[in-house]
Every structure is written in C-alpha cells, then in structure tokens.
C-alpha cells in the first residue's frame, strides 16, 4: 500500500472463531445490529466500518475498489492479530469486498448478501443514479428527511429500494442516523464510482454462499450473475428479503450466515 492504512472502526461481540461483518455503501457497522446478538451467541463477531464510512477514514492515496478495500481489510485483520483466513459475511459493497478477499486468499468462507461486483461490465443502469439522487435529496432536504423518517410508513416508502422493504421495522433513530450518514460519508461517491466487476470470480475456491432477496430492487437481475461464479457456490433467493435484509428477517439472516460460515 502506498501509505499507512487507517485503523478500522466498528464493534466486537462474542467469542469463538472470528466472523467479520461488512456493511453496504453509505452505511456503517450499525447495519448489522438486528443480527449481532444472535451471531455473537456462537462466534466472535467483528462488525467493521469500511474505509470512508462510519469512523474509518478513507484509504490514503488509493482508489477504493473492491480489491483495494479487501487488501486493506487484510491489513486490518493482521493489525488485530487475527491470523489465517477468516469467515466473512458482507452485504452489497461489503459482499463484494468479502468475495474479493476470498479471491486474494484471505477468506475461509464467504456469506454474501446482494454482493456488488458480479456484473460482467457494469452495475445495472439505475443503481448509480438512484444512489446519487438519494444522496443529493438527503443533503438538500436533510430537515424534511429527518422529519419524515420518524414515521413508519415514510420509512417503508423511502427505504424500500436502497435498504429494506420493511423499513417500518427500522427504529426511527436508526433510520435517521443511516440517512444522515449516506448524505455525509466521504466514501459514498468515490466508492460508488470505483466499484466495478470483480476480476475472475470464477476462481473462487472456498465455500461461498450468495443470496439475493426476491425484493432486492437495487441490484436487480443484471447484477445477479450466477454464471460468473463456480457451480459450487450456493445460490439462493430468499423470500421477503430486500437489498439490506437484516431488518426484514433478522432471524433468517442470522441463521443463513451461521450456516454459510459453519
């Protein structure tokens, strides 16, 4: 790396074999709050803030591609004294980072929920415009968004595409905090622009499970390329899951992750 990698923020719970959790674009480790307790009953869980999000600074002098972020993750695990390949679960951007880490030899197993990077050339045509427009709207109308997100129906409507089809289940303070972070996090636009297709995902050679929820309206069919990964990868389309399904189905997501990384 060209400069000193930043220390990653986040939280750690539980004991046992490490399980790393990586959030999606514009979010923080708090995205995993609904499943942390269930996972920590079985594993040492490290929910981390990816560089440019939460309390983790941007990567210095680097374009935040999935591969660069995976390399930075390996440095962070080394810094924490976590030796050997680890189990990694990621959502969206975090799922793409988890798969990139596996391709670099750093993952023991991967559980990827709606992972980025499986498209062959570029993300679906609407993905970047939706996220850019949402960020712009949240920045320009921050007071209105903060007010509307206090109401369950508004959360359900506003968050259905980028996050959860059951946005009313997200506590108002959590939804407001996540919206503020999407509007202000320095990593949103650089990382959105930098995320491209994973290089040679057909070379994945560790246990991998990939799930795209049937109600994922952000990474749609064009991003869900089963043909880009080996036949050994377990592939599923859980009912009722949106793009960020931890609030849609906390018990189901926790069980799926534990099974995928067992």
């Amino acid at each position: 790396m060209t400069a000193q990698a930043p220390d990653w923020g986040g939280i750690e719970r539980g004991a046992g074999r490490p399980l790393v959790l990586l959030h999606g674009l514009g979010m923080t480790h708090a995205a995993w709050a609904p499943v942390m307790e269930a996972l920590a009953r079985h594993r040492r869980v490290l929910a981390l803030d990816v560089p440019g999000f939460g309390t983790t600074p941007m990567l210095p002098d680097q374009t935040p591609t999935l591969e660069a972020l995976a390399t930075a993750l390996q440095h962070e695990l080394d810094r924490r004294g976590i030796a050997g390949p680890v189990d990694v679960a990621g959502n969206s951007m975090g799922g793409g980072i988890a798969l990139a880490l596996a391709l670099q030899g750093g993952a023991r197993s991967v559980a990827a929920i709606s992972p980025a990077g499986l498209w062959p050339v570029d993300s679906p045509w609407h993905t970047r415009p939706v996220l850019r427009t949402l960020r712009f709207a949240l920045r320009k109308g921050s007071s209105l968004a903060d007010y509307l997100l206090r109401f369950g129906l508004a959360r359900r409507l506003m968050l259905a595409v980028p996050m959860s089809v059951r946005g009313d289940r997200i506590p108002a303070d959590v939804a407001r905090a996540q919206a503020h972070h999407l509007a202000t996090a320095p990593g949103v636009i650089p990382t959105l622009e930098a995320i491209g297709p994973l290089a040679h995902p057909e070379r994945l050679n560790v246990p991998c499970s990939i799930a795209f929820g049937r109600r994922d309206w952000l990474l749609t069919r064009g991003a869900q390329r089963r043909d880009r990964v080996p036949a050994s990868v377990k592939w599923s389309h859980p009912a009722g899951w949106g793009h960020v399904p931890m609030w849609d189905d906390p018990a189901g997501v926790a069980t799926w992750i534990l099974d995928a990384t067992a």
Side-chain angles (χ1 to χ4, degrees):
M1 306 181 74
T2 58
Q4 181 64 39
D7 293 348
W8 292 36
I11 60 172
E12 182 174 333
R13 298 285 188 272
R17 193 171 76 241
L19 171 62
V20 176
L21 304 180
L22 302 172
H23 60 80
L25 188 93
M27 307 192 77
T28 71
H29 71 271
W32 298 101
V35 301
M36 279 293 293
E37 182 178 346
L39 295 176
R41 285 198 289 266
H42 304 275
R43 306 289 295 274
R44 175 189 174 189
V45 183
L46 300 92
L48 302 178
D49 288 334
V50 173
F53 304 94
T55 60
T56 307
M58 293 283 292
L59 292 180
D61 305 321
Q62 280 191 291
T63 302
T65 63
L66 296 175
E67 290 76 13
L69 292 168
T71 299
L73 173 59
Q74 185 62 67
H75 281 259
E76 175 64 15
L77 296 174
D78 293 343
R79 184 186 72 81
R80 292 174 180 244
I82 299 175
V86 296
D87 301 315
V88 189
N91 173 221
S92 193
M93 172 189 71
I97 297 170
L99 293 171
L101 184 69
L103 290 165
Q104 294 175 7
R108 175 185 176 272
S109 67
V110 171
I113 301 171
S114 297
L118 289 184
W119 46 80
V121 179
D122 202 357
S123 58
W125 67 269
H126 68 281
T127 302
R128 287 193 177 100
V130 164
L131 292 174
R132 288 194 201 99
T133 300
L134 181 59
R135 177 176 163 92
F136 177 82
L138 290 173
R139 290 170 70 90
K140 293 299 182 181
S142 57
S143 297
L144 178 60
D146 187 74
Y147 173 74
L148 290 175
L149 288 170
R150 298 169 188 264
F151 303 98
L153 179 59
R155 294 197 298 277
R156 186 159 188 165
L157 293 173
M158 293 170 67
L159 302 178
V161 173
M163 289 177 57
S164 169
V165 295
R166 293 303 309 271
D168 53 309
R169 294 183 178 179
I170 304 175
D173 59 337
V174 173
R176 291 160 64 202
Q178 292 294 333
H180 175 75
H181 191 67
L182 176 60
T184 59
V188 172
I189 298 302
T191 310
L192 180 64
E193 296 297 332
I195 292 177
L198 283 163
H200 302 294
E202 72 277 3
R203 296 178 183 175
L204 287 165
N205 60 2
V206 298
C208 291
S209 297
I210 294 175
F212 282 95
R214 296 183 193 176
R215 296 186 179 184
D216 187 338
W217 297 322
L218 187 65
L219 292 186
T220 49
R221 186 179 298 275
Q224 302 177 22
R225 291 295 296 269
R226 177 72 177 87
D227 59 310
R228 295 206 70 218
V229 298
S232 59
V233 170
K234 295 181 180 178
W235 192 277
S236 60
H237 292 281
W241 288 19
H243 185 65
V244 183
M246 287 76 87
W247 286 279
D248 297 330
D249 181 16
V253 170
T255 298
W256 184 84
I257 291 173
L258 289 171
D259 289 345
T261 60

